[in-house]
Structure formats: structure tokens, C-alpha cells
């Protein structure tokens, strides 16, 4: 009886172990399926969002263009942001989420193309994202301010915001930065909103005189507003750390063949101007990632 019980426990342990293993699709299996599973953030305009019941955004269109060049169609996996990007990569690229067992994306969009992030270690000196390959930078992003010229004459530096209410997304880099710069003298002027879109809407409604967010968000919001009184501020951010960064894609480390294929098609789309034209359709200025600027 003890031997039988031990045998059953061993079988159960093996079954549970197999249940925890999430299969990463090999490149040939992806091609044979005709489908590329792409993870991207939900409700994140102008990058990825739903409008009139259809997926839209520059990341959505770029993913479709890349997949089409490989003879594939895109299946979207919408990402609800977890506490950190490391969590998002774990949930969608190399382990999966307990609420979505056995579901992984083939590739994830809008991942920092940054060596320091890629080789980040935990307290034991282990690579946090050891099972992830980050590749294919396709956009250079920056911070950007905007203002209403009926209430602010010009915004040549964020120092002007010491005298004007400014709306920012709660717990965002602009929030932390503006609360601390100039010895915290702007902090009393900060108004916090759940999203960058809500902060921009507050500026349009006259609740605040200016706002600050990612350049892509500000460009798109200005494009959609079509209000000549809403203007771009000059990007003068004293004592700010990283003001520009590159964004790319990520795959499981076992799927480098997919990364090479996507990277090759991406380079063609960038060099032919297709990516710049895609961004322009959403009113976004396009800046080449540093990888291409160096060439």
C-alpha cells in the first residue's frame, strides 16, 4: 500500500510539473499556424487601443505589417500592466499568468531596448529577464510638455510651471520629476489624473494650464484635438535623468529565429519610410532609434 501511495504521489507531482510548463512555439510552428501571437498594452493610445470595436494604434499597425511580410496574421493578446515590466514579460513571454494557463505571446511590443534593463539583476546577482531577448528597436521616445497659449504665454522651460497649474498622470515620471525639480517649487501646482489623456482633457477644460507626458501621447492628443491654442512646449528639462529612450520587441530566449526574422523585416520598413508614414497617420513625429542613427 505504501508503494502504491508513493507511486501515486510521484505521478501527481509529475502531472503538476507538466502543467506548469508553458510551451513556447517554435518559429516553424508559428509559420505553419499562419498566426503570430502579439502581446501589447490595452487602452494605451496612440500605441494600442480599441476604437469603434477595432484594434488601432501604431503598435497594432506595425505588428500587422511585420506579420504580413512573414505571411502571417496577428492574434492580439492584450496586456493589462502588472506592477513592473518584468512582471509583464514573465506573464506573456516566458512563464504565463496563473489566470491564463498555457497562454504565451510569440512576441511583445513596446519593450525598452536598453542594455541596462536587459541585464538587470536581482539581489542574488541573477538576471531577472534571463529568459527574454529584447530586440528590434522601432521608435525613440521622449518626454513632452504642452500648454494652452490663452493662459501661458510660452513654455520654454518647465520653470514656467512654478506659476501655472499643470496636469500629469498619477505615479508617472512627469509627476515625480515636476514634484522635485527646482527644489520642489512646482509641486504645489501639480494636479493628478488617472491617465495622460485625462490630464490633457483637464487642460482643454481649463482646469490646468499645461500638461506633460510621453511625446507620442502628446502628439496624438494634439492631433485629435485640432485646437490651435494648444501648443507644444520646448523640451527643456533641467536635472532630469534619461530624457529619451528606444522601444522595441521581446521574445522568449529560445525563439531567436523569430527575432531575427522580425528584425530583418523591421529594418526594411524603417529604411523604406513605412514606419515614419505609419506614425504620421496618427499625428506623431517619428525619430529613428539610436541603432539606426549611428549608421
Amino acid at each position: 500500500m505504501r508503494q502504491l501511495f508513493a507511486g501515486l504521489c510521484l505521478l501527481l507531482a509529475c502531472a503538476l510539473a507538466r502543467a506548469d510548463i508553458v510551451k513556447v512555439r517554435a518559429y516553424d510552428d508559428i509559420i505553419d499556424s499562419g498566426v503570430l501571437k502579439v502581446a501589447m498594452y490595452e487602452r494605451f493610445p496612440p500605441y494600442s487601443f480599441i476604437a469603434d470595436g477595432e484594434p488601432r494604434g501604431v503598435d497594432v499597425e506595425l505588428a500587422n505589417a511585420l506579420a504580413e511580410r512573414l505571411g502571417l496574421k496577428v492574434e492580439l493578446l492584450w496586456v493589462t500592466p502588472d506592477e513592473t515590466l518584468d512582471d509583464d514579460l514573465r506573464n506573456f513571454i516566458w512563464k504565463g499568468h496563473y489566470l491564463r494557463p498555457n497562454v504565451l505571446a510569440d512576441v511583445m511590443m513596446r519593450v525598452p531596448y536598453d542594455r541596462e534593463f536587459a541585464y538587470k539583476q536581482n539581489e542574488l546577482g541573477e538576471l531577472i529577464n534571463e529568459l527574454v531577448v529584447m530586440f528590434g528597436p522601432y521608435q525613440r521616445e521622449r518626454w513632452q510638455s504642452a500648454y494652452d497659449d490663452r493662459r501661458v504665454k510660452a513654455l520654454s522651460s518647465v520653470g514656467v510651471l512654478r506659476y501655472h497649474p499643470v496636469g500629469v498622470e498619477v505615479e508617472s515620471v512627469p509627476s515625480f520629476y515636476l514634484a522635485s525639480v527646482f527644489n520642489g517649487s512646482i509641486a504645489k501646482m501639480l494636479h493628478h489624473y488617472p491617465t495622460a489623456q485625462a490630464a490633457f482633457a483637464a487642460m482643454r477644460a481649463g482646469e490646468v494650464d499645461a500638461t506633460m507626458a510621453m511625446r507620442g501621447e502628446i502628439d496624438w492628443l494634439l492631433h485629435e484635438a485640432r485646437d490651435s491654442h494648444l501648443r507644444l512646449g520646448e523640451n527643456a528639462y533641467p536635472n532630469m535623468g534619461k530624457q529619451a529612450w528606444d522601444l522595441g520587441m521581446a521574445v522568449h530566449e529560445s525563439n531567436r529565429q523569430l527575432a531575427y526574422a522580425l528584425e530583418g523585416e523591421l529594418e526594411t520598413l524603417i529604411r523604406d519610410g513605412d514606419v515614419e508614414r505609419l506614425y504620421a497617420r496618427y499625428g506623431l513625429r517619428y525619430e529613428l532609434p539610436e541603432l539606426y542613427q549611428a549608421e
Side-chain angles (χ1 to χ4, degrees):
M1 180 64 71
R2 290 180 179 176
Q3 289 178 329
L4 177 60
F5 181 72
L8 289 173
C9 288
L10 179 60
L11 288 173
L12 179 60
C14 291
L16 289 173
R18 285 196 297 270
D20 286 340
I21 297 174
V22 184
K23 182 175 176 55
V24 177
R25 298 201 303 166
Y27 179 73
D28 290 343
D29 293 334
I30 294 170
I31 297 299
D32 289 343
S33 74
V35 172
L36 182 68
K37 297 181 180 181
V38 184
M40 57 182 70
Y41 290 102
E42 64 177 353
R43 294 190 292 274
F44 194 21
Y47 312 111
S48 47
F49 60 103
I50 297 291
D52 300 323
E54 296 293 328
R56 290 194 61 209
V58 291
D59 284 358
V60 173
E61 293 199 32
L62 179 57
N64 282 321
L66 290 169
E68 183 179 0
R69 295 179 71 91
L70 296 178
L72 304 171
K73 292 187 176 181
V74 167
E75 177 184 327
L76 289 179
L77 301 180
W78 292 109
V79 177
T80 301
D82 210 319
E83 292 186 5
T84 67
L85 176 57
D86 302 322
D87 294 331
D88 297 338
L89 291 169
R90 180 192 65 234
N91 292 338
F92 284 87
I93 292 297
W94 64 267
K95 185 176 182 181
H97 195 280
Y98 70 92
L99 293 177
R100 298 180 302 275
N102 301 316
V103 175
L104 282 181
D106 301 315
V107 60
M108 183 171 172
M109 306 291 288
R110 200 148 291 275
V111 176
Y113 184 76
D114 180 87
R115 181 178 178 83
E116 183 177 341
F117 177 79
Y119 290 96
K120 184 170 58 172
Q121 299 178 348
N122 60 21
E123 62 275 7
L124 300 177
E126 302 168 329
L127 290 177
I128 294 176
N129 294 302
E130 181 182 14
L131 298 178
V132 178
V133 172
M134 300 165 203
F135 71 100
Y138 59 85
Q139 177 196 351
R140 190 157 180 81
E141 184 65 277
R142 295 178 179 272
W143 298 111
Q144 177 68 59
S145 58
Y147 66 99
D148 190 319
D149 69 6
R150 288 165 292 197
R151 297 187 293 275
V152 180
K153 184 175 181 181
L155 189 51
S156 57
S157 166
V158 291
V160 174
L161 300 178
R162 288 176 288 184
Y163 313 105
H164 294 276
V166 53
V168 291
E169 182 176 359
V170 66
E171 295 186 353
S172 64
V173 170
S175 173
F176 297 135
Y177 170 68
L178 292 176
S180 60
V181 72
F182 297 121
N183 296 317
S185 58
I186 300 177
K188 64 182 182 296
M189 307 303 291
L190 286 180
H191 294 244
H192 289 95
Y193 298 88
T195 64
Q197 292 76 40
F200 188 90
M203 180 177 68
R204 295 190 69 188
E207 295 175 17
V208 296
D209 297 345
T211 187
M212 181 178 171
M214 286 185 288
R215 179 173 63 183
E217 292 177 305
I218 294 294
D219 282 357
W220 180 72
L221 289 165
L222 287 174
H223 176 72
E224 292 292 296
R226 302 183 186 280
D227 185 336
S228 61
H229 290 290
L230 304 181
R231 299 178 177 273
L232 292 170
E234 295 182 32
N235 283 19
Y237 304 125
N239 301 320
M240 193 179 199
K242 180 172 281 191
Q243 299 190 30
W245 62 98
D246 290 341
L247 292 155
M249 298 174 275
V251 299
H252 191 278
E253 64 87 22
S254 66
N255 217 348
R256 293 174 184 270
Q257 187 175 1
L258 174 61
Y260 296 146
L262 289 171
E263 202 162 39
E265 301 300 343
L266 173 65
E267 182 173 347
T268 300
L269 290 173
I270 288 176
R271 296 195 183 284
D272 288 351
D274 293 326
V275 177
E276 184 174 6
R277 286 188 288 272
L278 188 167
Y279 274 65
R281 289 201 294 273
Y282 287 83
L284 276 61
R285 291 164 288 170
Y286 182 69
E287 183 179 354
L288 280 173
E290 190 174 19
L291 177 67
Y292 297 99
Q293 292 181 13
E295 296 180 2

